């Protein structure tokens, strides 16, 4: 139905506003309404009434960090689409979908054989030890810009985006596993525990996926284990570090995280990995946006040290 | 982050859409902050499934980002546009379920689930007066008009399917739906003219 009379179209306006007609009829009515001074405003008014009905729905709120997680995924996808191929809508969309798919952003992913990130036991909010130097604000630098550097920066940004995507995929898979477990819950206490874990994972996704998040890859020189990632939300100054493959520190020793700037090595806290060598660690520390040069982990005496003294276990440059 | 249920002026929303057209992803985040809760409430009411509702919310805002340039202010408020996208996506899922499971026509979701006008939790917020008038108009509809509206609104049934479900002639269904929608849109016209 492509050629519709005014009377026919007018009689279908209510159904079109409710989306209760076929695609063909809807298209024909809308085509007519677009040029009809009577049907156009009438259809718009009816559609607005339908939308007001939508606002009458009883208030519902998403659980825990899910709302923040969705927000972060959306902004990250939009940012990726904008950054990767600006001005080329189709290409950028395709690449964005690829990254989104990699990160498990567009759709739910199957958690089979995915590597779990941390455990509740390993996930802890770390308070920097008492020996931590006072907070300081470092004046942001203005990096020299030339084509070569820009090219490397673009490459590094792309790699960082993909790495973040992989990390997000792991955490998303973890969250979906918990959701699956929740579907077969057998007690309210277990349900509460699983819901809390979902909120934890969603918060992690939000922390890793935001538009203002900088990521630092941590590795040894040989690029073998141990390794990890540090995510820094430069707006909230929340830090999250995930490590893999760390052996337990020697008796009486602990691992200590350092935020390295031009003129200081700032302790971000101490930690010990779980039995599998995994760690998920949160911290909050205000730092000027471009002040961070590197992130390092050293082995230090229990309680931490005011400055690094022990061997460097892993390090990652923040200037790429 | 707390997500508001009542989200300020349409002019602010339109400004966000313009920024989205300029590839400003922070505007998408801001639009999400303003309308996520209303959208989630609607799709949850339609789908009764938190996981699916979350998916629909994400898909809706992503479509808004991709299609921001197609938004036309003359065709209604940004909230109307967003909620329409979200409701369509939710109805698509309901219809797909119905096809897969061969569920009977009908819906267990009715306007009786909605709050009474006096109990509108948003009554002190901007725009709540309009919602109250629409809700009043809804509750004053004759039962047969209301039934048609519920099947179309909540169930996503076509007029033909509603005719099958209710045993009424198609022409009768069309008339009832049209009359119901005309009564619901009256408060909007009066609201714009400042008479309510």
């Amino acid at each position: 139905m492509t050629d519709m009379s005014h009377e026919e179209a007018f009689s279908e306006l209510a159904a079109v506003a409710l989306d209760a007609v076929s695609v063909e009829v809807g298209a024909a009515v809308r085509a007519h309404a677009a040029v009809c001074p009577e049907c156009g405003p009438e259809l718009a008014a009816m559609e607005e009434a339908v939308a007001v009905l939508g606002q009458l729905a009883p208030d519902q709120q998403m659980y825990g960090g899910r709302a923040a997680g969705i927000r972060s995924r959306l902004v990250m996808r939009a940012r990726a689409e904008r950054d990767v191929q600006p001005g080329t809508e189709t290409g950028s969309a395709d690449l964005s979908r690829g990254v989104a798919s990699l990160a498990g952003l567009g759709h739910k992913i199957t958690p089979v054989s995915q590597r779990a990130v941390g455990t509740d036991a390993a996930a802890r909010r770390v308070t920097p030890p008492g020996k931590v130097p006072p907070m300081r604000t470092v004046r942001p630098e203005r990096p020299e810009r030339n084509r070569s550097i820009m090219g490397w920066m673009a490459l590094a940004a792309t790699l960082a985006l993909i790495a973040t995507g992989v990390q997000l995929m792991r955490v998303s898979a973890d969250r979906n596993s918990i959701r699956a477990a929740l579907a077969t819950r057998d007690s309210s206490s277990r349900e509460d525990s699983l819901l809390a874990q979902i909120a934890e994972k969603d918060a992690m996704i939000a922390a890793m996926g935001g538009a203002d998040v900088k990521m630092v890859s941590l590795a040894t020189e040989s690029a073998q284990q141990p390794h990890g990632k540090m995510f820094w939300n430069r707006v909230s100054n929340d830090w999250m570090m995930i490590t893999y493959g760390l052996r337990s520190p020697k008796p009486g020793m602990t691992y200590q995280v350092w935020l390295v700037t031009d003129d200081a090595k700032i302790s971000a806290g101490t930690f010990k990995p779980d039995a599998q060598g995994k760690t998920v660690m949160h911290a909050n520390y205000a730092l000027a946006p471009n002040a961070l040069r590197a992130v390092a982990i050293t082995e230090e005496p229990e309680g931490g040290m005011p400055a690094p003294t022990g061997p460097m276990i892993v390090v990652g440059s923040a200037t790429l | 982050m707390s997500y508001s249920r009542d989200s300020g002026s349409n002019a602010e929303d339109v400004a966000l859409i313009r920024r989205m057209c300029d590839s400003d992803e922070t505007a998408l985040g801001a639009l999400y902050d303003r309308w996520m809760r209303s959208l989630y409430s609607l799709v949850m009411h339609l789908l009764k499934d938190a996981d699916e509702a979350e998916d629909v919310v994400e898909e809706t805002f992503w479509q808004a980002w991709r299609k921001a340039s197609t938004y036309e202010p003359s065709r209604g408020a940004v909230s109307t546009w967003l909620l329409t996208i979200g409701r369509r996506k939710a109805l698509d899922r309901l219809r797909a379920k119905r096809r897969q499971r061969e569920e009977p026509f009908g819906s267990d979701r009715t306007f009786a689930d909605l709050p009474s006008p006096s109990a509108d939790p948003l009554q002190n917020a901007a725009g709540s007066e309009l919602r109250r008038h629409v809700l009043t108009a809804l509750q004053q509809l004759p039962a047969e008009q209301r039934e048609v509206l519920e099947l179309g609104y909540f169930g996503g049934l076509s007029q033909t399917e509603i005719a099958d479900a209710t045993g009424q002639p198609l022409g009768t269904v069309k008339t009832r739906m049209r009359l119901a929608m005309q009564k619901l849109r009256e408060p909007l016209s009066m609201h714009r003219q400042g008479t309510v």
Side-chain angles (χ1 to χ4, degrees):
Chain A
M1 189 183 294
T2 56
D3 193 13
M4 187 173 268
S5 70
H6 172 74
E7 288 70 24
E8 287 174 319
F10 191 82
S11 71
E12 299 286 357
L13 290 177
V16 171
L18 283 166
D19 201 24
V21 293
S22 67
V23 173
E24 293 77 17
V25 170
V29 171
R30 288 185 187 284
H32 170 83
V35 295
C36 175
E38 187 178 0
C39 292
E42 183 71 6
L43 178 58
M46 286 184 173
E47 286 186 324
E48 197 164 353
V50 171
V52 172
L53 285 178
Q55 293 181 52
L56 295 174
D59 191 23
Q60 302 269 355
Q61 293 193 51
M62 283 190 202
Y63 183 83
R66 291 183 192 178
I70 291 173
R71 187 188 195 282
S72 291
R73 288 198 295 275
L74 284 165
V75 172
M76 183 178 165
R77 288 176 73 185
R79 182 189 187 192
E81 183 176 86
R82 185 202 65 189
D83 286 350
V84 175
Q85 286 189 353
T88 312
E89 187 177 350
T90 305
S92 62
D94 289 342
L95 187 50
S96 173
R97 275 194 291 275
V99 172
S101 174
L102 181 66
L105 300 175
H107 301 282
K108 285 186 170 60
I109 52 177
T110 306
V112 177
S113 78
Q114 295 295 334
R115 185 176 188 174
V117 177
T119 64
D120 278 356
R124 57 181 70 88
R125 180 168 287 280
V126 174
T127 303
K131 301 166 187 173
V132 173
M135 283 190 183
R136 65 183 69 196
T137 302
V138 180
R139 188 169 59 224
E141 68 162 10
R142 292 190 177 279
E144 181 183 343
R145 292 169 183 257
N146 59 47
R147 285 190 177 182
S148 173
I149 291 177
M150 289 298 284
W152 281 106
M153 287 177 69
L155 177 62
T158 303
L159 292 173
L161 187 64
I162 292 170
T164 304
V166 171
Q167 209 71 39
L168 275 169
M169 184 169 67
R170 288 174 173 165
V171 180
S172 295
D174 207 16
R175 181 193 59 181
N176 290 341
S177 297
I178 296 168
R179 276 190 179 182
L182 188 58
T184 57
R185 63 184 181 271
D186 55 3
S187 72
S188 59
S189 62
R190 177 158 173 74
E191 178 180 359
D192 289 345
S193 168
L194 291 170
L195 287 172
Q197 288 182 51
I198 289 174
E200 171 85 15
K201 303 305 175 191
D202 280 324
M204 288 169 60
I205 290 170
M208 288 190 289
D212 299 298
V213 172
K214 183 181 183 69
M215 189 198 72
V216 179
S217 293
L218 305 171
T220 59
E221 286 185 357
S222 63
Q224 300 298 312
Q225 287 189 337
H227 61 102
K229 298 277 189 300
M230 173 72 101
F231 299 87
W232 171 26
N233 187 317
R234 288 172 286 186
V235 172
S236 65
N237 284 308
D238 285 323
W239 301 75
M240 185 175 73
M241 187 187 71
I242 303 172
T243 67
Y244 302 96
L246 274 175
R247 60 169 173 74
S248 293
K250 294 168 187 167
M253 304 292 279
T254 187
Y255 290 121
Q256 190 162 3
V257 185
W258 303 95
L259 310 178
V260 181
T261 67
D262 279 339
D263 55 0
K265 295 179 180 65
I266 303 160
S267 173
T270 59
F271 70 94
K272 289 182 180 177
D274 69 9
Q276 286 74 46
K278 299 173 195 166
T279 308
V280 178
M281 188 179 111
H282 301 271
N284 185 278
Y285 192 91
L287 207 59
N290 295 315
L292 187 68
R293 291 286 170 272
V295 176
I297 297 174
T298 60
E299 191 169 12
E300 305 289 349
E302 290 271 16
M305 298 294 285
T309 61
M312 190 175 293
I313 308 301
V314 290
V315 65
S317 171
T319 56
L320 286 178
Chain B
M1 165 66 73
S2 63
Y3 296 94
S4 168
R5 185 78 201 281
D6 202 85
S7 306
S9 75
N10 187 55
E12 292 168 343
D13 289 332
V14 172
L16 291 175
I17 294 291
R18 288 201 179 111
R19 284 169 53 198
M20 286 163 61
C21 290
D22 291 335
S23 299
D24 180 352
E25 78 277 7
T26 63
L28 172 62
L31 192 72
Y32 178 89
D33 294 341
R34 290 162 72 89
W35 288 107
M36 181 279 291
R37 194 161 152 191
S38 290
L39 179 61
Y40 181 71
S41 297
L42 169 61
V43 295
M44 261 300 284
H45 193 61
L46 292 169
L47 294 169
K48 307 291 185 195
D49 182 301
D51 286 351
E52 287 208 81
E54 289 167 19
D55 288 346
V56 169
V57 166
E58 189 162 352
E59 289 170 8
T60 299
F61 279 100
W62 185 243
Q63 182 169 328
W65 167 259
R66 300 302 310 280
K67 304 288 185 185
S69 61
T70 66
Y71 168 70
E72 295 177 27
S74 62
R75 288 186 57 185
V78 172
S79 57
T80 301
W81 182 62
L82 272 178
L83 294 175
T84 300
I85 295 172
R87 178 173 166 272
R88 280 189 186 141
K89 289 183 178 297
L91 290 183
D92 285 345
R93 289 179 179 240
L94 282 179
R95 289 166 182 152
K97 278 185 184 175
R98 202 156 55 224
R99 283 194 297 270
Q100 286 173 357
R101 300 177 189 173
E102 297 185 342
E103 287 181 353
F105 289 147
S107 171
D108 58 351
R109 302 160 186 84
T110 72
F111 290 117
D113 300 337
L114 301 182
S116 69
S118 60
D120 182 357
L122 305 172
Q123 58 184 341
N124 295 321
S128 66
E129 192 177 358
L130 173 60
R131 285 194 288 268
R132 198 154 45 84
H133 284 295
V134 170
L135 196 51
T136 301
L138 182 66
Q139 292 177 336
Q140 289 174 348
L141 289 177
E144 63 274 13
Q145 290 178 20
R146 193 175 162 123
E147 179 189 36
V148 168
L149 204 57
E150 285 171 347
L151 290 169
Y153 184 84
F154 291 116
L157 300 191
S158 70
Q159 293 181 111
T160 304
E161 290 170 332
I162 293 171
D164 288 343
T166 60
Q168 296 294 319
L170 179 59
T172 302
V173 168
K174 287 186 175 185
T175 301
R176 288 176 178 173
M177 186 174 280
R178 187 173 67 249
L179 290 173
M181 285 303 301
Q182 285 173 342
K183 288 173 185 170
L184 284 186
R185 50 97 66 205
E186 279 173 11
L188 285 168
S189 303
M190 296 166 73
H191 184 75
R192 288 200 176 114
Q193 293 164 8
T195 54
V196 295

